[in-house]
Amino acid sequence: MDLLQFVEWVTQISTLALLASGIPICFDVYRTRSVANMPFLFFLVGDINSICCLAYGLLLDNHILIFLNAVGTALNTVYVIMYIMFCKKVIKVAVSMTCSAIYLAGVYVYLYYIVEDPDAISDQLGLISSVLTFMLFSLPVLEIIDHVKRQSSEGMSLSLLFGSLVCSAAWYAYGMMLKNPYISFPNIPGLATSIGKLGVLWWYPRQRVSKKD
Protein backbone atom coordinates (compact mmCIF):
# COMPACT_ATOMS: atom_id res chain seq x y z
CA MET A 1 0.00 0.00 0.00
CA ASP A 2 1.51 3.31 -1.08
CA LEU A 3 1.06 6.66 0.71
CA LEU A 4 -1.84 7.80 -1.50
CA GLN A 5 -3.80 4.60 -0.80
CA PHE A 6 -3.17 5.00 2.92
CA VAL A 7 -4.44 8.59 2.87
CA GLU A 8 -7.48 7.48 0.88
CA TRP A 9 -8.34 4.85 3.48
CA VAL A 10 -7.90 7.30 6.37
CA THR A 11 -10.03 9.85 4.51
CA GLN A 12 -12.82 7.35 3.90
CA ILE A 13 -12.92 5.95 7.44
CA SER A 14 -12.78 9.34 9.18
CA THR A 15 -15.36 10.88 6.83
CA LEU A 16 -17.80 7.98 7.23
CA ALA A 17 -17.43 8.21 11.01
CA LEU A 18 -18.23 11.93 10.97
CA LEU A 19 -21.17 11.49 8.61
CA ALA A 20 -22.59 8.83 10.92
CA SER A 21 -22.41 11.19 13.92
CA GLY A 22 -25.90 12.43 13.08
CA ILE A 23 -27.45 8.98 13.60
CA PRO A 24 -27.54 9.17 17.43
CA ILE A 25 -29.10 12.63 17.10
CA CYS A 26 -31.85 11.18 14.91
CA PHE A 27 -32.55 8.42 17.43
CA ASP A 28 -32.79 11.05 20.16
CA VAL A 29 -35.20 13.13 18.05
CA TYR A 30 -37.36 10.07 17.40
CA ARG A 31 -37.37 9.17 21.10
CA THR A 32 -38.13 12.66 22.44
CA ARG A 33 -40.16 13.95 19.48
CA SER A 34 -38.14 17.16 19.81
CA VAL A 35 -35.72 18.79 17.35
CA ALA A 36 -34.38 21.30 19.89
CA ASN A 37 -30.86 19.85 19.77
CA MET A 38 -30.77 19.03 16.06
CA PRO A 39 -28.58 21.34 13.91
CA PHE A 40 -30.96 21.55 10.95
CA LEU A 41 -29.06 24.20 8.96
CA PHE A 42 -25.80 22.30 9.39
CA PHE A 43 -27.37 19.14 7.94
CA LEU A 44 -29.15 21.07 5.18
CA VAL A 45 -26.00 22.91 4.07
CA GLY A 46 -24.13 19.62 4.37
CA ASP A 47 -26.68 18.00 2.06
CA ILE A 48 -26.30 20.76 -0.54
CA ASN A 49 -22.52 20.52 -0.24
CA SER A 50 -22.59 16.73 -0.66
CA ILE A 51 -24.72 17.02 -3.80
CA CYS A 52 -22.33 19.56 -5.35
CA CYS A 53 -19.25 17.54 -4.36
CA LEU A 54 -20.86 14.38 -5.72
CA ALA A 55 -21.40 16.09 -9.07
CA TYR A 56 -17.80 17.34 -8.97
CA GLY A 57 -16.55 13.82 -8.24
CA LEU A 58 -18.54 12.46 -11.18
CA LEU A 59 -16.97 15.04 -13.50
CA LEU A 60 -13.49 14.11 -12.23
CA ASP A 61 -14.36 10.39 -12.19
CA ASN A 62 -12.88 10.26 -8.67
CA HIS A 63 -14.25 7.20 -6.85
CA ILE A 64 -13.40 8.58 -3.41
CA LEU A 65 -15.39 11.77 -3.95
CA ILE A 66 -18.25 9.85 -5.56
CA PHE A 67 -18.57 7.24 -2.80
CA LEU A 68 -18.21 9.53 0.21
CA ASN A 69 -20.50 12.25 -1.12
CA ALA A 70 -23.11 9.71 -2.21
CA VAL A 71 -23.16 8.46 1.38
CA GLY A 72 -23.13 12.06 2.63
CA THR A 73 -26.07 12.99 0.43
CA ALA A 74 -28.07 9.97 1.60
CA LEU A 75 -27.39 10.49 5.32
CA ASN A 76 -27.86 14.26 5.31
CA THR A 77 -31.13 13.82 3.42
CA VAL A 78 -32.31 11.40 6.09
CA TYR A 79 -31.29 13.87 8.82
CA VAL A 80 -33.19 16.69 7.09
CA ILE A 81 -36.28 14.52 6.63
CA MET A 82 -36.16 13.53 10.31
CA TYR A 83 -36.09 17.20 11.27
CA ILE A 84 -39.02 18.00 8.98
CA MET A 85 -41.08 15.15 10.48
CA PHE A 86 -40.87 16.50 14.01
CA CYS A 87 -40.40 20.24 13.52
CA LYS A 88 -43.37 22.48 14.32
CA LYS A 89 -41.93 25.57 12.61
CA VAL A 90 -43.30 24.73 9.17
CA ILE A 91 -42.67 28.15 7.64
CA LYS A 92 -39.00 28.17 8.68
CA VAL A 93 -38.45 24.73 7.15
CA ALA A 94 -40.36 25.62 3.97
CA VAL A 95 -38.30 28.77 3.45
CA SER A 96 -35.01 26.92 4.04
CA MET A 97 -35.94 24.09 1.67
CA THR A 98 -37.15 26.52 -1.02
CA CYS A 99 -33.92 28.55 -0.81
CA SER A 100 -31.90 25.33 -1.08
CA ALA A 101 -33.82 24.18 -4.15
CA ILE A 102 -33.43 27.62 -5.77
CA TYR A 103 -29.70 27.57 -5.04
CA LEU A 104 -29.17 24.13 -6.60
CA ALA A 105 -31.30 25.07 -9.61
CA GLY A 106 -29.30 28.27 -9.98
CA VAL A 107 -26.01 26.36 -9.90
CA TYR A 108 -27.28 23.97 -12.56
CA VAL A 109 -28.48 26.79 -14.85
CA TYR A 110 -25.24 28.70 -14.37
CA LEU A 111 -23.02 25.71 -15.17
CA TYR A 112 -24.91 24.20 -18.11
CA TYR A 113 -26.55 27.22 -19.73
CA ILE A 114 -24.05 30.00 -19.07
CA VAL A 115 -20.62 28.36 -18.64
CA GLU A 116 -21.33 25.41 -21.01
CA ASP A 117 -17.67 24.47 -21.68
CA PRO A 118 -17.03 21.05 -20.02
CA ASP A 119 -13.60 21.97 -18.64
CA ALA A 120 -14.90 25.28 -17.31
CA ILE A 121 -17.91 23.52 -15.74
CA SER A 122 -15.60 21.21 -13.80
CA ASP A 123 -13.50 24.15 -12.63
CA GLN A 124 -16.48 26.28 -11.62
CA LEU A 125 -18.22 23.40 -9.82
CA GLY A 126 -14.99 22.70 -7.95
CA LEU A 127 -14.89 26.34 -6.86
CA ILE A 128 -18.55 26.29 -5.78
CA SER A 129 -18.06 23.08 -3.82
CA SER A 130 -14.89 24.46 -2.27
CA VAL A 131 -16.63 27.62 -1.03
CA LEU A 132 -19.53 25.60 0.43
CA THR A 133 -17.16 23.24 2.24
CA PHE A 134 -15.15 26.21 3.52
CA MET A 135 -18.32 27.77 4.94
CA LEU A 136 -19.47 24.48 6.47
CA PHE A 137 -16.12 23.90 8.19
CA SER A 138 -16.09 27.50 9.45
CA LEU A 139 -19.35 27.10 11.41
CA PRO A 140 -17.62 25.61 14.50
CA VAL A 141 -16.04 29.04 15.06
CA LEU A 142 -19.39 30.07 16.57
CA GLU A 143 -19.17 27.12 18.97
CA ILE A 144 -15.66 28.12 20.01
CA ILE A 145 -16.82 31.68 20.69
CA ASP A 146 -19.68 30.36 22.83
CA HIS A 147 -17.32 28.18 24.90
CA VAL A 148 -14.93 31.10 25.41
CA LYS A 149 -17.79 33.34 26.55
CA ARG A 150 -18.92 30.68 29.04
CA GLN A 151 -15.30 29.94 29.97
CA SER A 152 -16.07 26.24 29.85
CA SER A 153 -15.51 23.31 27.53
CA GLU A 154 -18.59 21.51 28.86
CA GLY A 155 -20.54 19.75 26.10
CA MET A 156 -17.55 19.50 23.77
CA SER A 157 -17.03 15.94 22.51
CA LEU A 158 -13.36 14.94 22.60
CA SER A 159 -13.88 11.95 20.29
CA LEU A 160 -15.77 14.04 17.74
CA LEU A 161 -13.09 16.72 17.99
CA PHE A 162 -10.25 14.32 17.21
CA GLY A 163 -12.37 12.76 14.46
CA SER A 164 -12.85 16.18 12.86
CA LEU A 165 -9.14 16.93 13.16
CA VAL A 166 -8.13 13.63 11.51
CA CYS A 167 -10.79 14.02 8.80
CA SER A 168 -9.75 17.58 7.91
CA ALA A 169 -6.06 16.63 7.92
CA ALA A 170 -6.71 13.60 5.72
CA TRP A 171 -8.75 15.58 3.18
CA TYR A 172 -6.13 18.33 3.13
CA ALA A 173 -3.35 15.79 2.53
CA TYR A 174 -5.44 14.04 -0.13
CA GLY A 175 -6.07 17.30 -1.97
CA MET A 176 -2.40 18.24 -1.81
CA MET A 177 -1.35 14.84 -3.17
CA LEU A 178 -3.80 15.24 -6.06
CA LYS A 179 -2.65 18.86 -6.50
CA ASN A 180 -6.30 19.92 -6.35
CA PRO A 181 -6.80 23.15 -4.36
CA TYR A 182 -10.58 22.70 -4.46
CA ILE A 183 -10.16 19.63 -2.24
CA SER A 184 -7.31 20.80 0.01
CA PHE A 185 -8.16 24.49 0.56
CA PRO A 186 -11.61 24.11 2.23
CA ASN A 187 -10.14 21.89 4.93
CA ILE A 188 -7.93 24.66 6.30
CA PRO A 189 -10.76 26.09 8.47
CA GLY A 190 -11.57 22.53 9.56
CA LEU A 191 -8.00 22.13 10.83
CA ALA A 192 -8.03 25.61 12.39
CA THR A 193 -11.32 25.14 14.26
CA SER A 194 -10.28 21.68 15.49
CA ILE A 195 -7.02 23.11 16.85
CA GLY A 196 -9.02 25.99 18.33
CA LYS A 197 -11.31 23.53 20.13
CA LEU A 198 -8.28 21.68 21.48
CA GLY A 199 -7.12 25.01 22.85
CA VAL A 200 -10.50 25.54 24.54
CA LEU A 201 -10.35 22.05 26.07
CA TRP A 202 -6.87 22.73 27.40
CA TRP A 203 -7.56 26.27 28.63
CA TYR A 204 -10.99 25.84 30.20
CA PRO A 205 -11.76 22.92 32.53
CA ARG A 206 -15.03 21.07 31.90
CA GLN A 207 -16.38 21.71 35.37
CA ARG A 208 -16.05 25.48 35.08
CA VAL A 209 -19.27 27.35 34.33
CA SER A 210 -19.96 30.89 33.29
CA LYS A 211 -20.18 33.50 36.01
CA LYS A 212 -23.59 34.55 37.25
CA ASP A 213 -24.53 38.18 37.90
Side-chain angles (χ1 to χ4, degrees), residues 101-183:
I102 291 173
Y103 176 82
L104 288 173
V107 169
Y108 179 83
V109 170
Y110 170 71
L111 292 176
Y112 290 96
Y113 289 93
I114 296 176
V115 177
E116 294 186 342
D117 179 69
D119 291 333
I121 287 176
S122 177
D123 188 64
Q124 288 297 304
L125 185 55
L127 178 60
I128 291 170
S129 302
S130 177
V131 171
L132 275 174
T133 305
F134 186 94
M135 293 172 59
L136 193 65
F137 284 172
S138 297
L139 289 178
V141 170
L142 300 176
E143 183 184 350
I144 293 174
I145 293 173
D146 179 63
H147 283 291
V148 171
K149 285 182 178 179
R150 292 189 289 111
Q151 297 186 358
S152 171
S153 59
E154 194 68 36
M156 189 177 289
S157 171
L158 187 60
S159 59
L160 187 60
L161 170 55
F162 277 108
S164 299
L165 181 60
V166 171
C167 185
S168 296
W171 275 108
Y172 180 79
Y174 184 59
M176 292 296 290
M177 293 179 77
L178 294 182
K179 297 181 180 179
N180 188 327
Y182 298 137
I183 296 177

Side-chain angles (χ1 to χ4, degrees), residues 14-147:
S14 59
T15 302
L16 290 173
L18 281 181
L19 288 173
S21 64
I23 294 176
I25 297 176
C26 285
F27 278 116
D28 185 63
V29 168
Y30 183 78
R31 180 177 58 84
T32 62
R33 298 296 194 271
S34 172
V35 295
N37 297 318
M38 191 171 194
F40 171 66
L41 287 179
F42 182 81
F43 289 140
L44 182 59
V45 174
D47 203 10
I48 296 171
N49 181 57
S50 293
I51 292 171
C52 290
C53 290
L54 173 59
Y56 183 56
L58 289 169
L59 288 176
L60 295 182
D61 194 24
N62 182 300
H63 68 282
I64 300 294
L65 288 175
I66 294 171
F67 169 66
L68 292 177
N69 286 291
V71 174
T73 299
L75 286 177
N76 281 308
T77 299
V78 170
Y79 300 154
V80 169
I81 291 174
M82 182 64 72
Y83 184 92
I84 294 172
M85 288 174 59
F86 295 100
C87 181
K88 298 178 180 179
K89 299 179 180 179
V90 180
I91 296 178
K92 172 188 174 182
V93 173
V95 170
S96 299
M97 297 299 293
T98 301
C99 290
S100 300
I102 291 173
Y103 176 82
L104 288 173
V107 169
Y108 179 83
V109 170
Y110 170 71
L111 292 176
Y112 290 96
Y113 289 93
I114 296 176
V115 177
E116 294 186 342
D117 179 69
D119 291 333
I121 287 176
S122 177
D123 188 64
Q124 288 297 304
L125 185 55
L127 178 60
I128 291 170
S129 302
S130 177
V131 171
L132 275 174
T133 305
F134 186 94
M135 293 172 59
L136 193 65
F137 284 172
S138 297
L139 289 178
V141 170
L142 300 176
E143 183 184 350
I144 293 174
I145 293 173
D146 179 63
H147 283 291

